[in-house]
Amino acid sequence: MVLVTLPGQEWVDAVGPVPGLELDVWDMSEPHPRAEEVRVVVPPYLGAGPRLPVLSTLPNLDLVQLLTAGYDGVPDVLPPGARLANAAGVHDASTAELAVALALASLRDVPDFVVAQREHRWLPTTMHPALADKRVLVVGYGSIGRAIAARLTPFEVTVTAVASRARAGDDLVPSVHGVDELPDLLPHHDVVILIVPLSEVTAGLVDDAFLSAMPDGSLLVNVARGGVVDTDALVRHARAGRIRAALDVTDPEPLPEDHPLWDLPGVLVTPHVGGASSAFTPRATRLLQEQLGAYAAGRPLRNLVHP
């Protein structure tokens, strides 16, 4: 029997049994008592970051199956020969929903209404920007980016997709532009939604030049990673009233209570909850059942991102 660890008994109950595999509960907070036997590890979805170095104590580790789509930093703590798979597809619906919700809430000034409600104030009727007729640039056209585009289309917007390299389009966009085309694309879009992985290439992608190229009054939505955006540059542009921002992720994260982003006009912050919805558990359970079943049977695995 191959020893596989899951982060809680609820996951063992939901996923198993899997013929040929022994499913064990391990939250990675302490070294595993049978470290030499562990072959597959599924880290916790929340709070796994500080615990990941314990993976290096598993000499025969073969596979780490994440419950997150992002995997920045994880390859650095893997023992030699260990493979890494992410949870691509699991968070598509939830993150795409939040991206659209953030865009709508920011454009329609919903945060102002929430504050007014708490203060029992009826605000005067004024005109607010609509999502309809906006030109939306989706930066990062993987599975989540495509899910965002699919949800945006019924809102009567024009969607432009950007990926690392230009390629043919699909049923949602006529073509996919390369990231090198951003300087030409940014001035012609009202909303920019970020959903790229954090890497050496994308770290600080949204810098002063990027933000300066966005039109006055445009909106930046970040459901990617905080490090994709130069926070100091964003603060300058938001403070000047040039752009709005709706951020599910920040750099630093968690955002310190005295950080200027909290109080800047036109900035909406949510605490990295893109994947944290009721859509997560059933999709993650299906992925684990399929992946562990394939592992036990010697079939090809999904979503391998390292090596």
Side-chain angles (χ1 to χ4, degrees):
M1 297 284 280
V2 174
L3 183 57
V4 176
T5 73
L6 295 167
Q9 185 61 47
E10 69 278 10
W11 288 105
V12 173
D13 295 339
V15 172
V18 181
L21 304 183
E22 177 188 351
L23 304 185
D24 184 37
V25 175
W26 185 44
D27 66 3
M28 300 171 55
S29 60
E30 301 287 343
H32 197 283
R34 298 163 59 189
E36 292 189 357
E37 299 177 57
V38 176
R39 299 283 291 170
V40 180
V41 172
V42 179
Y45 172 56
L46 299 176
R51 306 178 188 183
L52 290 174
V54 77
L55 293 172
S56 64
T57 68
L58 307 175
N60 297 308
L61 181 64
D62 181 35
L63 174 68
V64 174
Q65 172 61 62
L66 298 176
L67 295 175
T68 59
Y71 55 93
D72 39 294
V74 183
D76 299 335
V77 299
L78 296 180
R83 296 176 290 173
L84 177 66
N86 72 349
V90 167
H91 302 286
D92 292 9
S94 183
T95 305
E97 279 186 357
L98 184 66
V100 176
L102 288 173
L104 285 167
S106 182
L107 289 169
R108 298 300 295 265
D109 295 310
V110 171
D112 292 346
F113 302 140
V114 172
V115 172
Q117 179 180 349
R118 288 175 177 169
E119 297 174 351
H120 298 189
R121 290 187 297 116
W122 186 275
L123 295 178
T125 300
T126 57
M127 300 295 287
H128 299 270
L131 182 55
D133 304 326
K134 291 290 186 290
R135 302 162 299 176
V136 183
L137 187 65
V138 178
V139 182
Y141 200 63
S143 60
I144 300 179
R146 193 176 186 283
I148 292 171
R151 285 158 177 78
L152 284 170
T153 301
F155 284 91
E156 302 176 39
V157 302
T158 301
V159 178
T160 304
V162 171
S164 57
R165 292 178 297 276
R167 62 176 189 261
D170 53 25
D171 59 318
L172 296 174
V173 294
S175 62
V176 179
H177 298 264
V179 70
D180 58 306
E181 300 177 66
L182 278 173
D184 295 326
L185 294 170
L186 287 168
H188 306 290
H189 289 83
D190 310 296
V191 179
V192 177
I193 299 179
L194 305 173
I195 186 57
V196 294
L198 180 62
S199 68
E200 292 182 0
V201 175
T202 62
L205 172 68
V206 182
D207 56 10
D208 184 74
F210 185 110
L211 295 167
S212 296
M214 293 174 60
D216 289 351
S218 56
L219 169 66
L220 178 74
V221 178
N222 190 3
V223 288
R225 286 291 186 268
V228 174
V229 176
D230 179 336
T231 302
D232 291 339
L234 177 60
V235 167
R236 290 194 299 272
H237 283 263
R239 182 174 282 146
R242 276 207 62 253
I243 64 170
R244 299 178 180 224
L247 312 171
D248 186 48
V249 288
T250 60
D251 182 22
E253 188 176 303
L255 197 63
E257 62 180 26
D258 60 347
H259 199 281
L261 278 175
W262 289 117
D263 299 311
L264 288 177
V267 175
L268 171 61
V269 177
T270 56
H272 201 155
V273 293
S277 80
S278 59
F280 165 66
T281 299
R283 287 161 175 77
T285 298
R286 287 195 294 270
L287 172 66
L288 292 177
Q289 289 171 333
E290 294 170 5
Q291 192 81 315
L292 294 180
Y295 185 90
R299 299 193 303 270
L301 302 177
R302 292 175 52 186
N303 303 339
L304 288 174
V305 295
H306 175 86

